[in-house]
Amino acid sequence: MTSSIRHLTLRQARDLLARSLVPPPLSDGIGLELEFLTFPTDDWSRRPTLADIDDLIDRCCGLLPDGVRLTREPGGQLEVVTAPLGDARNACAAAALALREVVRLSRESEIRLVALGVDPARPPLRILDEPRYRAMELHFRSIGGDGLQMMCNTAALQVNLGAGDEQTLLLRWRTTNALAPFLSAVFANSPFPPRPAQSNSRGDSGRLLSHRAAVWSAVEPSRCKPVPVGSSPVDDWIDYVLDADVMLIRRGPSEYVPLTCPFPFRQWLEEGHELGWPDEEDLAYHTTTLFPPVRPRGWLELRALDTLPTPVWHVAVAVCSALLAEEAVMAEVLRWCGALGDAHDIPPAGLSSPESRAVAEALFRIASEGLYTQGATEAAGMVDYWRVRWVARGLTPADELLECGDDFTRALQAREETGETLVEGLVGSGQPRSGSR
């Protein structure tokens, strides 16, 4: 918490940030965070109450696999979170078992879980009333943009990857940042535009297949832009943290003061603020308000993907794990990603250009080869199926939804009806059955 005396020098802050990137014990492996929009089963225009969401979480307690928990987000999104579980197969198995129970109980609770990157039905509304989120909303309202949409109306698939040793971390850091826009493009799953606050208009969608990516990129550059990648992930992150604007200042356990003017943390360290000087807790808390597509925390958080339906998120996790597993593979991935230079403008438009499609298809081939080498034949088959039936044709999950036009409810219902067929096609012989793509 802040105080009237100076606690930290710039050098001390840099040392603290460097130590925060040291991998914690048992952090190796892969962890997942699958986020879902929630709706009452009988009404797309309302949100479940916070009591409804909390009751569902309570009912799931004791039924989830070890290492899996449920959390909720400001707009009522529900998230399935796994601890690092050794490898992608174990992480996916644990998340799938948990999700099966959550879906079953959510139906009994008359709550619909929706795997869609952006909410196209409701204007943003915060139902989670905590000091942090009240201050966040006030901060975002003061600067304009899409901050409230990001908080309340988006859902993502997050893949958490072990950092490895110093040499592996450097290569994995570069590779993960290079991959992020391609993976966001391949697995785009939010083609319907969000409802703006205080409006009944859905606006003009243009050619955006990931409105979630567009929302996040428009929130606040110092907070959500990619971390510039240099010669050291530690130095890259430290400079990013210090140059990012402070969102709020905590004056007590329940008093969070939002800042409404640009105020980099570096400036707070050097000049203080009328509310006080920052301490170690303030620095650590500041890092939790930063949301780049790849965030280092002793492990690497890949935060660039729209949330995905079953079984597509299995494919995404398999691709991520395979492309970031070995140094030789990561070096090859970087060569392919470098063919398009700065690719951070790719995600919202999907695989619309032949160049991006060719790179994505090559990355899928690399991933499937790596999975076969590891003996993960089922995952490799899923990746091969997705490459042939989707990537090679420039298609994404968003394109599937748009086959039903602008009616997102019809599109989601069609996806639910064909979901089991798609599962069989992905894990079977690679030949889709009637009704799948």
Side-chain angles (χ1 to χ4, degrees):
M1 300 295 177
T2 58
S3 74
S4 59
I5 61 174
R6 187 175 188 178
H7 282 272
L8 291 175
T9 65
L10 184 59
R11 179 184 293 275
Q12 289 171 330
R14 296 185 72 91
D15 289 343
L16 286 168
L17 289 169
R19 290 201 295 272
S20 74
L21 299 186
V22 175
L26 304 178
S27 67
D28 198 16
I30 292 181
L32 304 178
E33 300 184 24
L34 287 78
E35 193 174 10
F36 299 90
L37 303 174
T38 60
F39 295 82
T41 55
D42 61 347
D43 192 346
W44 290 97
S45 66
R46 294 190 299 108
R47 296 175 191 267
T49 67
L50 184 59
D52 292 336
I53 300 294
D54 286 342
D55 178 68
L56 173 59
I57 292 175
D58 288 342
R59 294 183 65 197
C60 292
C61 285
L63 300 177
L64 304 181
D66 291 342
V68 181
R69 59 190 174 89
L70 301 181
T71 65
R72 69 271 208 278
E73 298 298 320
Q77 305 97 313
L78 189 68
E79 194 168 43
V80 178
V81 181
T82 79
L85 292 173
D87 58 24
R89 181 177 181 178
N90 289 334
C92 286
L97 284 173
L99 187 56
R100 183 174 65 186
E101 292 299 323
V102 174
V103 169
R104 179 179 66 84
L105 291 174
S106 69
R107 288 171 177 165
E108 293 179 4
S109 300
E110 299 186 340
I111 294 175
R112 185 194 305 265
L113 301 184
V114 175
L116 197 62
V118 158
D119 183 347
R122 305 167 299 193
L125 176 69
R126 178 177 55 83
I127 68 169
L128 191 54
D129 190 28
E130 295 180 359
R132 170 186 171 95
Y133 296 119
R134 287 198 298 269
M136 284 181 69
E137 178 175 347
L138 291 171
H139 169 83
F140 285 134
R141 287 189 182 280
S142 71
I143 64 173
D146 289 338
L148 194 59
Q149 289 281 8
M150 179 269 284
M151 289 174 62
C152 302
N153 276 16
T154 63
L157 164 63
Q158 181 171 309
V159 183
N160 300 322
L161 303 144
D165 58 27
E166 185 174 347
Q167 180 177 342
T168 302
L169 171 60
L170 176 57
L171 188 54
R172 190 165 285 163
W173 171 246
R174 291 173 176 170
T175 308
T176 308
N177 275 281
L179 273 175
F182 288 101
L183 295 172
S184 181
V186 169
F187 295 108
N189 186 43
S190 48
F192 307 112
R195 284 272 300 273
Q198 301 177 342
S199 171
N200 292 321
S201 170
R202 284 178 50 199
D204 180 14
S205 65
R207 171 64 182 175
L208 295 182
L209 299 182
S210 178
H211 277 88
R212 186 205 57 82
V215 166
W216 278 75
S217 65
V219 169
E220 191 175 357
S222 80
R223 193 173 311 285
C224 295
K225 68 181 180 181
V227 179
V229 176
S231 59
S232 164
V234 175
D235 291 337
D236 296 343
W237 178 240
I238 289 173
D239 289 337
Y240 186 93
V241 171
L242 296 177
D243 292 338
D245 289 327
V246 178
M247 173 185 285
L248 53 88
I249 292 179
R250 300 178 303 155
R251 301 190 66 185
S254 60
E255 185 179 4
Y256 290 49
V257 181
L259 299 192
T260 58
C261 295
F263 188 61
F265 197 92
R266 189 189 306 271
Q267 183 178 349
W268 193 12
L269 280 172
E270 295 176 339
E271 301 176 9
H273 187 276
E274 63 182 9
L275 296 177
W277 293 85
D279 62 12
E280 295 183 12
E281 289 185 2
D282 291 309
L283 176 60
Y285 194 86
H286 172 63
T287 66
T288 70
T289 69
L290 308 179
F291 313 111
V294 182
R295 184 169 69 177
R297 299 186 65 188
W299 59 93
L300 299 181
E301 296 177 345
L302 175 57
R303 309 166 57 88
L305 286 79
D306 289 354
T307 195
L308 295 164
T310 301
V312 184
W313 61 266
H314 290 262
V315 181
V317 175
V319 170
C320 292
S321 66
L323 294 180
L324 295 163
E326 299 179 1
E327 292 185 9
V329 172
M330 288 188 280
E332 188 174 2
V333 169
L334 284 173
R335 285 193 293 271
W336 275 103
C337 290
L340 290 183
D342 186 357
H344 283 294
D345 290 334
I346 290 175
L351 298 175
S352 57
S353 74
E355 295 82 6
S356 62
R357 191 157 58 245
V359 171
E361 193 171 0
L363 295 176
F364 268 63
R365 285 197 188 95
I366 296 169
S368 67
E369 290 170 2
L371 290 165
Y372 279 121
T373 300
Q374 298 167 20
T377 55
E378 183 177 293
M382 294 171 72
V383 171
D384 277 338
Y385 177 91
W386 199 263
R387 175 179 61 81
V388 172
R389 297 294 297 172
W390 295 74
V391 176
R393 298 162 64 196
L395 298 176
T396 71
D399 291 296
E400 175 202 32
L401 292 171
L402 288 174
E403 287 183 349
C404 294
D406 290 334
D407 187 344
F408 73 92
T409 59
R410 181 182 166 207
L412 291 172
Q413 183 175 355
R415 173 182 276 176
E416 289 179 359
E417 291 173 352
T418 61
E420 291 305 315
T421 303
L422 183 57
V423 171
E424 293 176 13
L426 281 170
V427 302
S429 64
Q431 298 297 322
R433 295 173 53 186
S434 175
S436 66
R437 297 200 69 94

